mmCIF file of all heavy atoms in Angstrom:
data_model
loop_
_atom_site.group_PDB
_atom_site.id
_atom_site.type_symbol
_atom_site.label_atom_id
_atom_site.label_comp_id
_atom_site.label_asym_id
_atom_site.label_seq_id
_atom_site.Cartn_x
_atom_site.Cartn_y
_atom_site.Cartn_z
ATOM 1 N N TYR Z 1 -1.623 4.385 -25.206
ATOM 2 C CA TYR Z 1 -1.947 4.495 -23.817
ATOM 3 C C TYR Z 1 -1.990 3.181 -23.125
ATOM 4 O O TYR Z 1 -2.388 2.182 -23.671
ATOM 5 C CB TYR Z 1 -3.387 5.189 -23.681
ATOM 6 C CG TYR Z 1 -3.889 5.170 -22.210
ATOM 7 C CD1 TYR Z 1 -3.328 6.000 -21.318
ATOM 8 C CD2 TYR Z 1 -4.775 4.127 -21.825
ATOM 9 C CE1 TYR Z 1 -3.864 5.932 -19.952
ATOM 10 C CE2 TYR Z 1 -5.173 4.055 -20.538
ATOM 11 C CZ TYR Z 1 -4.716 4.964 -19.553
ATOM 12 O OH TYR Z 1 -5.103 4.868 -18.313
ATOM 13 N N TYR Z 2 -1.506 3.165 -21.861
ATOM 14 C CA TYR Z 2 -1.607 1.912 -21.053
ATOM 15 C C TYR Z 2 -1.729 2.253 -19.594
ATOM 16 O O TYR Z 2 -1.229 3.390 -19.157
ATOM 17 C CB TYR Z 2 -0.420 1.027 -21.330
ATOM 18 C CG TYR Z 2 0.918 1.689 -21.107
ATOM 19 C CD1 TYR Z 2 1.543 1.530 -19.793
ATOM 20 C CD2 TYR Z 2 1.614 2.322 -22.077
ATOM 21 C CE1 TYR Z 2 2.796 2.050 -19.606
ATOM 22 C CE2 TYR Z 2 2.831 2.880 -21.829
ATOM 23 C CZ TYR Z 2 3.381 2.861 -20.577
ATOM 24 O OH TYR Z 2 4.613 3.347 -20.311
ATOM 25 N N ARG Z 3 -2.266 1.468 -18.837
ATOM 26 C CA ARG Z 3 -2.301 1.683 -17.380
ATOM 27 C C ARG Z 3 -0.969 1.379 -16.784
ATOM 28 O O ARG Z 3 -0.298 0.493 -17.226
ATOM 29 C CB ARG Z 3 -3.427 0.738 -16.700
ATOM 30 C CG ARG Z 3 -4.801 1.290 -16.925
ATOM 31 C CD ARG Z 3 -5.885 0.441 -16.193
ATOM 32 N NE ARG Z 3 -5.559 0.204 -14.829
ATOM 33 C CZ ARG Z 3 -6.499 -0.324 -14.020
ATOM 34 N NH1 ARG Z 3 -7.658 -0.619 -14.402
ATOM 35 N NH2 ARG Z 3 -6.112 -0.473 -12.704
ATOM 36 N N LYS Z 4 -0.657 2.196 -15.736
ATOM 37 C CA LYS Z 4 0.642 2.037 -15.053
ATOM 38 C C LYS Z 4 0.590 1.232 -13.846
ATOM 39 O O LYS Z 4 1.629 1.012 -13.150
ATOM 40 C CB LYS Z 4 1.218 3.430 -14.674
ATOM 41 C CG LYS Z 4 1.141 4.444 -15.805
ATOM 42 C CD LYS Z 4 1.928 4.158 -17.017
ATOM 43 C CE LYS Z 4 2.089 5.312 -17.923
ATOM 44 N NZ LYS Z 4 0.786 5.745 -18.508
ATOM 45 N N ASP Z 5 -0.560 0.636 -13.517
ATOM 46 C CA ASP Z 5 -0.799 0.018 -12.208
ATOM 47 C C ASP Z 5 -1.252 -1.467 -12.288
ATOM 48 O O ASP Z 5 -1.827 -1.963 -11.288
ATOM 49 C CB ASP Z 5 -1.758 0.799 -11.248
ATOM 50 C CG ASP Z 5 -3.118 0.821 -11.789
ATOM 51 O OD1 ASP Z 5 -3.276 0.556 -13.026
ATOM 52 O OD2 ASP Z 5 -4.036 1.208 -11.081
ATOM 53 N N ILE Z 6 -1.050 -2.081 -13.418
ATOM 54 C CA ILE Z 6 -1.529 -3.468 -13.543
ATOM 55 C C ILE Z 6 -0.814 -4.350 -12.515
ATOM 56 O O ILE Z 6 0.394 -4.352 -12.388
ATOM 57 C CB ILE Z 6 -1.281 -3.969 -14.983
ATOM 58 C CG1 ILE Z 6 -1.963 -3.126 -16.026
ATOM 59 C CG2 ILE Z 6 -1.623 -5.457 -15.203
ATOM 60 C CD1 ILE Z 6 -3.478 -3.157 -15.913
ATOM 61 N N GLY Z 7 -1.681 -5.130 -11.766
ATOM 62 C CA GLY Z 7 -1.095 -6.020 -10.844
ATOM 63 C C GLY Z 7 -0.501 -5.409 -9.564
ATOM 64 O O GLY Z 7 0.145 -6.114 -8.750
ATOM 65 N N LYS Z 8 -0.617 -4.088 -9.418
ATOM 66 C CA LYS Z 8 0.065 -3.440 -8.336
ATOM 67 C C LYS Z 8 -0.874 -2.874 -7.174
ATOM 68 O O LYS Z 8 -0.422 -2.389 -6.233
ATOM 69 C CB LYS Z 8 0.813 -2.193 -8.910
ATOM 70 C CG LYS Z 8 1.965 -2.607 -9.842
ATOM 71 C CD LYS Z 8 2.769 -1.439 -10.344
ATOM 72 C CE LYS Z 8 3.771 -1.849 -11.338
ATOM 73 N NZ LYS Z 8 4.611 -0.662 -11.904
ATOM 74 N N THR Z 9 -2.181 -3.031 -7.445
ATOM 75 C CA THR Z 9 -3.124 -2.401 -6.448
ATOM 76 C C THR Z 9 -3.946 -3.566 -5.739
ATOM 77 O O THR Z 9 -4.437 -4.451 -6.344
ATOM 78 C CB THR Z 9 -4.155 -1.567 -7.111
ATOM 79 O OG1 THR Z 9 -3.449 -0.480 -7.755
ATOM 80 C CG2 THR Z 9 -5.085 -0.904 -6.104
ATOM 81 N N PHE Z 10 -3.894 -3.588 -4.461
ATOM 82 C CA PHE Z 10 -4.484 -4.655 -3.617
ATOM 83 C C PHE Z 10 -5.361 -4.030 -2.498
ATOM 84 O O PHE Z 10 -5.101 -2.955 -1.945
ATOM 85 C CB PHE Z 10 -3.441 -5.560 -3.047
ATOM 86 C CG PHE Z 10 -2.555 -6.204 -4.005
ATOM 87 C CD1 PHE Z 10 -1.275 -5.680 -4.339
ATOM 88 C CD2 PHE Z 10 -2.990 -7.415 -4.687
ATOM 89 C CE1 PHE Z 10 -0.522 -6.338 -5.279
ATOM 90 C CE2 PHE Z 10 -2.190 -8.015 -5.621
ATOM 91 C CZ PHE Z 10 -0.965 -7.463 -5.934
ATOM 92 N N GLU Z 11 -6.368 -4.754 -2.182
ATOM 93 C CA GLU Z 11 -7.155 -4.401 -1.016
ATOM 94 C C GLU Z 11 -6.459 -4.829 0.236
ATOM 95 O O GLU Z 11 -6.108 -5.969 0.373
ATOM 96 C CB GLU Z 11 -8.578 -5.045 -1.164
ATOM 97 C CG GLU Z 11 -9.661 -4.390 -0.304
ATOM 98 C CD GLU Z 11 -10.941 -4.954 -0.510
ATOM 99 O OE1 GLU Z 11 -11.201 -6.220 -0.585
ATOM 100 O OE2 GLU Z 11 -11.952 -4.149 -0.785
ATOM 101 N N VAL Z 12 -6.317 -3.909 1.186
ATOM 102 C CA VAL Z 12 -5.515 -4.167 2.409
ATOM 103 C C VAL Z 12 -6.344 -3.839 3.626
ATOM 104 O O VAL Z 12 -6.940 -2.811 3.705
ATOM 105 C CB VAL Z 12 -4.245 -3.409 2.391
ATOM 106 C CG1 VAL Z 12 -3.389 -3.524 3.683
ATOM 107 C CG2 VAL Z 12 -3.358 -3.790 1.122
ATOM 108 N N LEU Z 13 -6.321 -4.700 4.624
ATOM 109 C CA LEU Z 13 -6.886 -4.442 5.898
ATOM 110 C C LEU Z 13 -5.804 -3.823 6.844
ATOM 111 O O LEU Z 13 -4.827 -4.499 7.071
ATOM 112 C CB LEU Z 13 -7.490 -5.768 6.499
ATOM 113 C CG LEU Z 13 -8.083 -5.597 7.983
ATOM 114 C CD1 LEU Z 13 -9.274 -4.616 7.952
ATOM 115 C CD2 LEU Z 13 -8.474 -6.910 8.501
ATOM 116 N N VAL Z 14 -6.008 -2.609 7.269
ATOM 117 C CA VAL Z 14 -5.064 -1.935 8.177
ATOM 118 C C VAL Z 14 -5.093 -2.542 9.489
ATOM 119 O O VAL Z 14 -6.080 -2.663 10.162
ATOM 120 C CB VAL Z 14 -5.353 -0.438 8.253
ATOM 121 C CG1 VAL Z 14 -4.318 0.257 9.084
ATOM 122 C CG2 VAL Z 14 -5.406 0.171 6.837
ATOM 123 N N GLU Z 15 -3.885 -2.975 9.985
ATOM 124 C CA GLU Z 15 -3.777 -3.766 11.259
ATOM 125 C C GLU Z 15 -3.065 -2.871 12.350
ATOM 126 O O GLU Z 15 -3.292 -3.138 13.532
ATOM 127 C CB GLU Z 15 -3.111 -5.072 11.076
ATOM 128 C CG GLU Z 15 -3.847 -6.017 10.212
ATOM 129 C CD GLU Z 15 -3.223 -7.443 10.217
ATOM 130 O OE1 GLU Z 15 -2.105 -7.590 10.751
ATOM 131 O OE2 GLU Z 15 -3.803 -8.370 9.599
ATOM 132 N N GLY Z 16 -2.102 -2.017 11.954
ATOM 133 C CA GLY Z 16 -1.413 -1.295 12.993
ATOM 134 C C GLY Z 16 -0.377 -0.397 12.437
ATOM 135 O O GLY Z 16 -0.254 -0.180 11.227
ATOM 136 N N PHE Z 17 0.492 0.160 13.313
ATOM 137 C CA PHE Z 17 1.583 1.093 12.914
ATOM 138 C C PHE Z 17 2.762 0.311 12.549
ATOM 139 O O PHE Z 17 3.076 -0.770 13.124
ATOM 140 C CB PHE Z 17 1.894 2.015 13.962
ATOM 141 C CG PHE Z 17 0.837 3.078 14.322
ATOM 142 C CD1 PHE Z 17 -0.036 2.869 15.410
ATOM 143 C CD2 PHE Z 17 0.669 4.117 13.416
ATOM 144 C CE1 PHE Z 17 -1.022 3.751 15.635
ATOM 145 C CE2 PHE Z 17 -0.318 5.091 13.709
ATOM 146 C CZ PHE Z 17 -1.197 4.907 14.792
ATOM 147 N N SER Z 18 3.537 0.795 11.576
ATOM 148 C CA SER Z 18 4.785 0.169 11.192
ATOM 149 C C SER Z 18 5.812 0.362 12.332
ATOM 150 O O SER Z 18 5.837 1.276 13.055
ATOM 151 C CB SER Z 18 5.333 0.857 9.890
ATOM 152 O OG SER Z 18 6.644 0.493 9.656
ATOM 153 N N LYS Z 19 6.683 -0.691 12.401
ATOM 154 C CA LYS Z 19 7.808 -0.586 13.397
ATOM 155 C C LYS Z 19 8.768 0.555 13.066
ATOM 156 O O LYS Z 19 9.410 1.025 13.953
ATOM 157 C CB LYS Z 19 8.552 -1.889 13.423
ATOM 158 C CG LYS Z 19 7.659 -3.130 13.831
ATOM 159 C CD LYS Z 19 8.551 -4.368 13.849
ATOM 160 C CE LYS Z 19 7.677 -5.619 14.375
ATOM 161 N NZ LYS Z 19 8.546 -6.822 14.239
ATOM 162 N N ARG Z 20 8.832 0.954 11.829
ATOM 163 C CA ARG Z 20 9.733 2.028 11.478
ATOM 164 C C ARG Z 20 9.251 3.434 11.826
ATOM 165 O O ARG Z 20 10.026 4.192 12.287
ATOM 166 C CB ARG Z 20 9.923 1.944 9.889
ATOM 167 C CG ARG Z 20 10.516 0.724 9.285
ATOM 168 C CD ARG Z 20 10.618 0.868 7.895
ATOM 169 N NE ARG Z 20 11.232 -0.362 7.293
ATOM 170 C CZ ARG Z 20 11.456 -0.466 5.905
ATOM 171 N NH1 ARG Z 20 11.095 0.459 5.051
ATOM 172 N NH2 ARG Z 20 11.949 -1.668 5.430
ATOM 173 N N SER Z 21 8.011 3.679 11.753
ATOM 174 C CA SER Z 21 7.532 5.001 11.972
ATOM 175 C C SER Z 21 5.979 5.061 12.241
ATOM 176 O O SER Z 21 5.288 4.269 11.685
ATOM 177 C CB SER Z 21 7.852 5.926 10.712
ATOM 178 O OG SER Z 21 7.109 7.136 10.841
ATOM 179 N N LYS Z 22 5.629 5.944 13.094
ATOM 180 C CA LYS Z 22 4.155 6.129 13.394
ATOM 181 C C LYS Z 22 3.434 6.770 12.193
ATOM 182 O O LYS Z 22 2.241 6.830 12.237
ATOM 183 C CB LYS Z 22 4.001 6.995 14.672
ATOM 184 C CG LYS Z 22 4.412 6.233 15.961
ATOM 185 C CD LYS Z 22 3.443 5.169 16.243
ATOM 186 C CE LYS Z 22 3.759 4.478 17.673
ATOM 187 N NZ LYS Z 22 2.921 3.419 17.986
ATOM 188 N N GLU Z 23 4.264 7.310 11.276
ATOM 189 C CA GLU Z 23 3.557 7.823 10.107
ATOM 190 C C GLU Z 23 3.325 6.904 9.040
ATOM 191 O O GLU Z 23 2.814 7.173 7.979
ATOM 192 C CB GLU Z 23 4.586 8.951 9.536
ATOM 193 C CG GLU Z 23 4.764 10.134 10.466
ATOM 194 C CD GLU Z 23 3.468 10.798 10.883
ATOM 195 O OE1 GLU Z 23 2.595 11.052 9.882
ATOM 196 O OE2 GLU Z 23 3.233 11.041 11.987
ATOM 197 N N GLN Z 24 3.637 5.586 9.298
ATOM 198 C CA GLN Z 24 3.338 4.537 8.389
ATOM 199 C C GLN Z 24 2.463 3.453 9.067
ATOM 200 O O GLN Z 24 2.582 3.215 10.277
ATOM 201 C CB GLN Z 24 4.618 3.885 7.893
ATOM 202 C CG GLN Z 24 5.485 4.704 6.955
ATOM 203 C CD GLN Z 24 6.653 3.970 6.372
ATOM 204 O OE1 GLN Z 24 7.333 3.261 7.134
ATOM 205 N NE2 GLN Z 24 6.860 4.097 5.082
ATOM 206 N N LEU Z 25 1.598 2.876 8.227
ATOM 207 C CA LEU Z 25 0.744 1.752 8.722
ATOM 208 C C LEU Z 25 1.155 0.506 7.993
ATOM 209 O O LEU Z 25 1.822 0.398 6.973
ATOM 210 C CB LEU Z 25 -0.712 2.008 8.494
ATOM 211 C CG LEU Z 25 -1.277 3.289 9.138
ATOM 212 C CD1 LEU Z 25 -2.642 3.567 8.585
ATOM 213 C CD2 LEU Z 25 -1.350 3.060 10.681
ATOM 214 N N PHE Z 26 0.675 -0.662 8.573
ATOM 215 C CA PHE Z 26 0.863 -1.877 7.825
ATOM 216 C C PHE Z 26 -0.487 -2.609 7.874
ATOM 217 O O PHE Z 26 -1.271 -2.445 8.767
ATOM 218 C CB PHE Z 26 1.979 -2.720 8.543
ATOM 219 C CG PHE Z 26 1.544 -3.506 9.761
ATOM 220 C CD1 PHE Z 26 1.041 -4.858 9.589
ATOM 221 C CD2 PHE Z 26 1.684 -2.986 10.927
ATOM 222 C CE1 PHE Z 26 0.597 -5.542 10.682
ATOM 223 C CE2 PHE Z 26 1.316 -3.656 12.100
ATOM 224 C CZ PHE Z 26 0.748 -4.923 12.033
#
Protein backbone atom coordinates (compact mmCIF):
# COMPACT_ATOMS: atom_id res chain seq x y z
CA TYR A 1 0.00 0.00 0.00
CA TYR A 2 1.19 3.54 -0.72
CA ARG A 3 -0.33 6.99 -0.90
CA LYS A 4 -1.03 8.34 -4.39
CA ASP A 5 -0.81 12.04 -3.49
CA ILE A 6 2.66 12.58 -2.00
CA GLY A 7 3.78 16.12 -2.79
CA LYS A 8 0.67 16.83 -4.83
CA THR A 9 -1.68 18.53 -2.34
CA PHE A 10 -1.32 22.22 -1.48
CA GLU A 11 -3.25 24.81 0.46
CA VAL A 12 -4.54 27.41 -2.01
CA LEU A 13 -6.17 30.81 -1.51
CA VAL A 14 -8.90 31.24 -4.14
CA GLU A 15 -8.42 34.57 -5.94
CA GLY A 16 -10.78 34.55 -8.92
CA PHE A 17 -12.15 32.88 -12.03
CA SER A 18 -9.91 31.26 -14.60
CA LYS A 19 -9.53 33.05 -17.95
CA ARG A 20 -10.53 29.80 -19.65
CA SER A 21 -13.88 29.21 -17.99
CA LYS A 22 -16.22 30.49 -15.28
CA GLU A 23 -16.43 26.87 -14.13
CA GLN A 24 -12.79 27.03 -13.05
CA LEU A 25 -11.12 29.06 -10.34
CA PHE A 26 -7.51 30.02 -9.78
